[in-house]
Amino acid sequence: MTTINDIAKMANVSRTTVSRVFNNGYVSEDVRKRIMKIVEETGYTPSLSAKSLRTKKSGVIGVILPKISTETASRVVSGINEVVAKENFQILLTDTELKKEKEIEYIRLLKSRHVDGIILLATNINADLIKAISAADLPFISIGQDLPGVTSILYDDYHAASDLTNLLVANHHKKIAFIGVGEEDPSVGRQRKMGYLDTLAKTNLPIREEWIEEGDFSIESGYECAKKIIRNSEKNLPTAIFAVTDRMAIGAMEYLREQGYSIPQDIAVAGIGASTMSKHLTPPLTTVDYYNKDAGKKAAQLLLAQMVQKKDKEKYTQTYRLIKRDSV
Amino acid sequence: MTTINDIAKMANVSRTTVSRVFNNGYVSEDVRKRIMKIVEETGYTPSLSAKSLRTKKSGVIGVILPKISTETASRVVSGINEVVAKENFQILLTDTELKKEKEIEYIRLLKSRHVDGIILLATNINADLIKAISAADLPFISIGQDLPGVTSILYDDYHAASDLTNLLVANHHKKIAFIGVGEEDPSVGRQRKMGYLDTLAKTNLPIREEWIEEGDFSIESGYECAKKIIRNSEKNLPTAIFAVTDRMAIGAMEYLREQGYSIPQDIAVAGIGASTMSKHLTPPLTTVDYYNKDAGKKAAQLLLAQMVQKKDKEKYTQTYRLIKRDSV
DNA sequence: CTGAAAGCGCTTACAG
DNA sequence: CTGAAAGCGCTTACAG
């Protein structure tokens, strides 16, 4: 491995001067040329560990994901990457496999790797997490959950769910079932459910326990929830099912189709997420686009801004867009 | 930021001793305990940049992706992560956005970041790339292309394509159209096409130019290719379309459906990739599962092995599995 | 415009 | 079992 000392020797200058040509210091034109020539011949690139040790900056930002192979995650990462790559930052990727202890573990790890900042796709809120974040004392952005004291990019779960429910109501549905997830996830589990519940209450529509089930984000759980809903309410079937994620909506559609119900004539279905799949289902799924990639971009921009200058913690709410398709 | 010197001072030992408790050297039980107590109180974690500068190992492996938000890529990354995370490695992620110069740029960058190894999801083969890889002189694995002199994990594109074509033939199709991609991509562009062509030749089936189109991996391009095929062969329509990726197959299905053809009665469709979507389309798409996640795992294992001990370059061919569904 | 020197936070022979 | 010293490859005041 060739180092700055090698280059300095070959160019007959001090390593200070070599360093300066890489850090826009004053260097005379001919010396600069002489050095650059040697740099190119040798293929020298400065050791970023040494640089990072010295400058306390690594040019790396840490990203903590609940699960890598998920469309939402990959969209967000793609958005993050798009903006940070332009500033010559790289992403250090980390996957909690949905275990919340790992979020904390990775925050520490990322810190010891001297990342310049962290973006967390949050799935829950707990005191230890908040503590770990503030202990890290690093530019930090959370996406998807409103973490106290942390700059957060939020999806407008409550209103998205209300709007979707209202859309169902506007399409003359009066019996609307719901497939949600656990409330450990305040955004997806709680806010979306509240949006559904409040809308029904406001429009004086019935809220029935047999129409409400809880899945775990998977397609299979959507299938199972739909099955339970249908079986538990045979005498009084809902005419629409609102699932809080596209994947669960797809599972539900699958079950309904198997049972010979036609969508949307017998039962309408709607989801959230605007997955690529949603568009290509038969019928195409009504859903909500959360602009995940933009959320990633925004997060990256805020992070970069925080790295330059500490800011007060802020909360940003992403816009969303209802996509009405033939499943409703 | 607390350093090893702070801990040493607080524990009244030399920093050598502190270092030893983290690197399993001999340290007496009480000293070790004394140190660990302080470590926990202060939340000290060793600076990985300093460690990396000193040891020339970073605990980071670089991954170069053609595009982050792609199902194949995220599956592979998930497989890689699963095995390297167990060994306490992290992934430094890099996205070429399909520009091949960036592959080379990132190899250099990753090298200067002192990654311990690199995994490249390769999309093309060229001399500069090979040169950059050998110049990096790092454990290196390529996935998806057979790079000369580089340990590679290969998909069995030729046989997968032959098998799929044969499946179509076995289902009494004699006029089989093809949607491929450019031959700059030897695996997807060339091998898959050869598998198709050779099978037709062997079974004495017609190969017609109007039935062969070239897309760019996108759903839209699949749509456009199907349109061209249908328009250019109105008098002699194919009874099946084989697209080399699921996404292009989906685009093709879309066009066919729009035009009122029913699948598979009028025209059958098959793809490659076993995307999640393929299963949930109507009708479900016949495709090939390449076990991308396993490919990622395998790549990671080989990389880890190479880091321990330099090995001869080897070639591994992944198994695949035909998934026959109702689109055929 | 250029260089000598100090120092970032670690690990690793070497010596005891 | 423990410590003093050297050194990994950089950057950055400081001085000229």
Side-chain angles (χ1 to χ4, degrees), chain B residues 4 15 19 23 44 47 50 54:
Chain B
I4 197 172
R15 65 169 177 273
S19 172
N23 298 282
Y44 166 73
S47 155
R54 182 58 228 248

Side-chain angles (χ1 to χ4, degrees), chain B residues 39-322:
Chain B
V39 166
E40 268 157 43
E41 283 167 12
T42 55
Y44 166 73
T45 56
S47 155
L48 261 12
S49 336
K51 185 167 180 163
S52 153
L53 175 59
R54 182 58 228 248
T55 62
K56 306 288 166 206
K57 307 204 169 306
S58 62
V60 172
I61 71 152
V63 174
I64 305 178
L65 260 33
K67 198 155 175 252
I68 288 179
S69 55
T70 234
E71 195 169 355
T72 308
S74 74
R75 283 178 182 173
V76 172
V77 173
S78 153
I80 295 172
N81 189 66
E82 209 173 291
V83 353
V84 301
K86 270 185 203 135
E87 310 287 324
N88 291 314
F89 282 81
Q90 262 67 52
I91 289 178
L92 197 58
L93 207 69
T94 251
D95 179 358
T96 67
E97 295 160 344
L98 296 167
K99 293 174 198 131
K100 32 182 179 172
E101 330 83 65
K102 287 216 172 182
E103 291 177 346
I104 295 169
E105 191 186 322
Y106 281 136
I107 290 172
R108 297 213 181 103
L109 178 81
L110 258 12
K111 168 85 175 178
S112 71
R113 286 207 184 281
H114 290 275
V115 298
D116 295 333
I118 296 179
I119 295 175
L120 168 70
L121 296 225
T123 60
N124 69 90
I125 302 181
N126 67 79
D128 288 342
L129 176 60
I130 307 293
K131 215 183 297 169
I133 294 174
S134 93
D137 190 28
L138 236 37
F140 200 107
I141 312 282
S142 90
I143 299 183
Q145 303 283 351
D146 187 355
L147 299 186
V150 179
T151 298
S152 311
I153 314 257
L154 276 1
Y155 298 118
D156 198 351
D157 292 293
Y158 181 82
H159 291 108
S162 315
D163 284 4
L164 209 48
T165 312
N166 271 129
L167 176 71
L168 260 8
V169 174
N171 279 267
H172 313 298
H173 291 285
K174 301 193 185 316
K175 309 196 226 167
I176 304 172
F178 180 83
I179 300 177
V181 301
E183 304 212 352
E184 318 81 69
D185 183 326
S187 298
V188 184
R190 205 168 155 61
Q191 293 299 321
R192 295 189 193 175
K193 187 170 184 180
M194 293 306 293
Y196 159 77
L197 255 19
D198 287 358
T199 303
L200 291 191
K202 268 185 212 153
T203 48
N204 290 311
L205 290 177
I207 296 171
R208 301 185 59 104
E209 260 186 40
E210 318 91 78
W211 293 346
I212 300 181
E213 290 291 340
E214 199 165 283
D216 66 0
F217 290 92
S218 70
I219 294 181
E220 295 69 35
S221 74
Y223 181 98
E224 292 303 328
C225 288
K227 184 194 279 188
K228 282 187 207 153
I229 290 171
I230 298 299
R231 291 200 176 164
N232 292 338
S233 50
E234 274 181 9
K235 312 251 137 92
N236 190 14
L237 283 181
T239 63
I241 297 181
F242 166 22
V244 299
T245 71
D246 278 2
R247 293 176 68 85
M248 294 194 297
I250 288 164
M253 285 175 70
E254 214 113 288
Y255 177 76
L256 295 177
R257 193 178 308 126
E258 271 183 34
Q259 297 299 310
Y261 295 102
S262 60
I263 304 168
Q265 294 78 0
D266 298 330
I267 300 184
V269 177
I272 290 186
S275 58
T276 309
M277 243 193 289
S278 67
K279 190 175 170 186
H280 300 285
L281 296 166
T282 315
L285 181 65
T286 289
T287 186
V288 175
D289 187 356
Y290 267 174
Y291 300 105
N292 302 109
K293 187 167 180 178
D294 288 342
K297 284 191 196 175
K298 179 77 181 168
Q301 284 155 358
L302 289 174
L303 192 71
L304 258 19
Q306 281 196 16
M307 282 163 34
V308 176
Q309 187 187 6
K310 273 214 172 185
K311 304 233 172 161
D312 280 346
K313 307 315 173 197
E314 298 173 280
K315 307 293 175 180
Y316 295 87
T317 302
Q318 279 286 108
T319 52
Y320 60 91
R321 164 177 134 249
L322 235 59

Side-chain angles (χ1 to χ4, degrees), chain A residues 59 61 77 79-91 119 300-301 303-304:
Chain A
I61 72 150
V77 173
I80 295 172
N81 189 65
E82 208 171 293
V83 351
V84 300
K86 270 186 203 133
E87 309 287 325
N88 291 314
F89 281 81
Q90 262 67 52
I91 290 179
I119 296 175
Q301 284 154 359
L303 192 71
L304 256 20

Side-chain angles (χ1 to χ4, degrees), chain A residues 185-294:
Chain A
D185 182 327
S187 298
V188 184
R190 205 166 154 63
Q191 293 300 320
R192 295 189 193 175
K193 188 170 183 179
M194 294 306 292
Y196 159 77
L197 255 19
D198 287 359
T199 303
L200 291 191
K202 269 184 212 154
T203 48
N204 289 313
L205 290 177
I207 296 172
R208 302 185 59 104
E209 260 187 38
E210 319 91 79
W211 293 347
I212 299 181
E213 290 292 337
E214 199 167 282
D216 65 2
F217 290 92
S218 69
I219 294 181
E220 295 69 35
S221 75
Y223 181 98
E224 293 302 329
C225 288
K227 184 195 278 188
K228 282 186 206 153
I229 290 170
I230 298 299
R231 291 201 176 161
N232 293 338
S233 50
E234 275 180 9
K235 311 251 138 92
N236 190 13
L237 283 181
T239 64
I241 298 180
F242 166 21
V244 297
T245 72
D246 278 2
R247 294 176 68 84
M248 295 195 296
I250 288 163
M253 284 173 72
E254 213 114 290
Y255 177 77
L256 295 176
R257 193 178 308 126
E258 269 182 34
Q259 297 299 310
Y261 294 102
S262 60
I263 303 168
Q265 294 79 358
D266 298 329
I267 300 183
V269 178
I272 290 184
S275 58
T276 310
M277 245 195 288
S278 66
K279 189 174 170 187
H280 300 284
L281 296 166
T282 316
L285 182 66
T286 290
T287 185
V288 176
D289 187 357
Y290 267 175
Y291 300 104
N292 301 110
K293 186 167 180 178
D294 288 342

Side-chain angles (χ1 to χ4, degrees), chain A residues 28-185:
Chain A
S28 69
E29 231 357 75
D30 49 330
V31 171
R32 158 168 275 123
K33 269 186 200 149
R34 181 146 42 97
I35 292 176
M36 283 314 290
K37 185 151 174 277
I38 296 174
V39 165
E40 267 157 42
E41 284 168 11
T42 56
Y44 166 73
T45 55
S47 156
L48 261 13
S49 338
K51 185 166 181 164
S52 153
L53 174 59
R54 182 58 227 248
T55 60
K56 305 289 165 208
K57 306 207 169 303
S58 62
V60 172
I61 72 150
V63 173
I64 305 178
L65 260 32
K67 199 154 174 254
I68 288 179
S69 54
T70 234
E71 195 169 356
T72 308
S74 73
R75 283 178 182 171
V76 173
V77 173
S78 151
I80 295 172
N81 189 65
E82 208 171 293
V83 351
V84 300
K86 270 186 203 133
E87 309 287 325
N88 291 314
F89 281 81
Q90 262 67 52
I91 290 179
L92 197 59
L93 206 70
T94 251
D95 179 359
T96 66
E97 295 160 344
L98 296 166
K99 292 174 198 133
K100 31 182 177 170
E101 330 83 66
K102 288 218 170 180
E103 291 177 345
I104 295 170
E105 191 186 321
Y106 282 136
I107 290 172
R108 296 213 182 104
L109 179 81
L110 258 12
K111 168 85 175 176
S112 71
R113 285 207 184 280
H114 291 274
V115 298
D116 295 334
I118 296 179
I119 296 175
L120 168 70
L121 297 224
T123 59
N124 70 90
I125 302 179
N126 67 79
D128 288 342
L129 176 61
I130 307 293
K131 215 183 298 168
I133 293 173
S134 94
D137 190 29
L138 235 38
F140 200 108
I141 313 282
S142 90
I143 299 183
Q145 303 284 348
D146 187 355
L147 299 186
V150 179
T151 297
S152 310
I153 313 258
L154 276 2
Y155 299 117
D156 199 351
D157 292 292
Y158 180 83
H159 290 108
S162 314
D163 285 2
L164 210 47
T165 312
N166 271 129
L167 176 71
L168 262 7
V169 174
N171 279 266
H172 312 299
H173 291 285
K174 301 194 185 317
K175 308 195 229 169
I176 303 172
F178 180 82
I179 300 177
V181 302
E183 304 210 354
E184 318 80 68
D185 182 327

